[in-house]
Amino acid sequence: DTGVSQDPRHKITKRGQNVTFRCDPISEHNRLYWYRQTLGQGPEFLTYFQNEAQLEKSRLLSDRFSAERPKGSFSTLEIQRTEQGDSAMYLCASSLDGSLTFGSGTRLTVV
Amino acid sequence: KNEVEQSPQNLTAQEGEFITINCSYSVGISALHWLQQHPGGGIVSLFMLSSGKKKHGRLIATINIQEKHSSLHITASHPRDSAVYICAVRVQGGSQGNLIFGKGTKLSVKP
């Protein structure tokens, strides 16, 4: 297992399009987290899964955002009708014992 | 006022210098993380601590729960230490990954 993988690394999309990102956590990690980071800022928590259950959602996660972890393994984050304000780095992390392992992130640019 | 404040925002050091980065927080916490982020976005977890002091190689992290303050020290700094260092706290009663992040301290170590 090589760590947390995120795909794609970069995504450029036109405003109004839908995008989907994927995160593959470390296989034995039951907890998975999504964060968003805009330029010059620290990351912000978006949502948290324990196994396949989505246990927490930030109020930052508007109704255009949806996340799933259907079998308790990989997770997807979908953004519908993208807006320029959605441009950011989307980070995924997984955890077993509280210590987080982060992926390299997906950088989204909405033009 | 942010709940997690880091200082300084930017730090330039000469190779070999001893470096201290500070983190103050205003909420009750159950754990504090120090993270390292390199250009390109990838985040590496350096320390997770809830009391006392931890050491790993040239890195030392301390926390004073009563004073709501943590420091990250780098001894014998090297140009490869150049990165953004981020402090993040887990609020008491929150999930492991629902963290409040500081804005980061950008460290540049000159040879």
Side-chain angles (χ1 to χ4, degrees), chain A residues 35-56:
Chain A
Y35 304 91
R36 180 175 69 186
Q37 184 178 27
T38 53
L39 206 60
Q41 303 296 314
E44 297 170 296
F45 170 79
L46 291 179
T47 191
Y48 154 53
F49 289 86
Q50 182 160 315
N51 300 312
E52 66 275 10
Q54 187 174 22
L55 297 185
E56 242 180 302

Side-chain angles (χ1 to χ4, degrees), chain B residues 49-96:
Chain B
L49 64 167
S50 54
S51 64
K53 176 179 172 178
K54 287 191 176 181
K55 184 174 189 292
H56 186 257
R58 294 179 297 105
L59 302 177
I60 303 166
T62 63
I63 188 168
N64 185 319
I65 295 292
Q66 287 72 31
E67 294 186 4
K68 296 189 173 177
H69 182 269
S70 175
S71 292
L72 176 69
H73 305 286
I74 305 175
T75 60
S77 60
H78 191 276
R80 65 174 174 267
D81 297 326
S82 298
V84 175
Y85 292 84
I86 301 172
C87 169
V89 302
R90 186 201 320 164
V91 177
Q92 270 177 342
S95 67
Q96 290 178 345

Side-chain angles (χ1 to χ4, degrees), chain A residues 31 33 35 37 43 56 95 100, chain B residues 37 45 95-98 101:
Chain A
R31 297 182 174 97
Y33 308 89
Y35 304 91
Q37 184 178 27
E56 242 180 302
S95 166
L100 299 171
Chain B
Q37 186 169 34
S45 180
S95 67
Q96 290 178 345
N98 188 347
F101 294 80

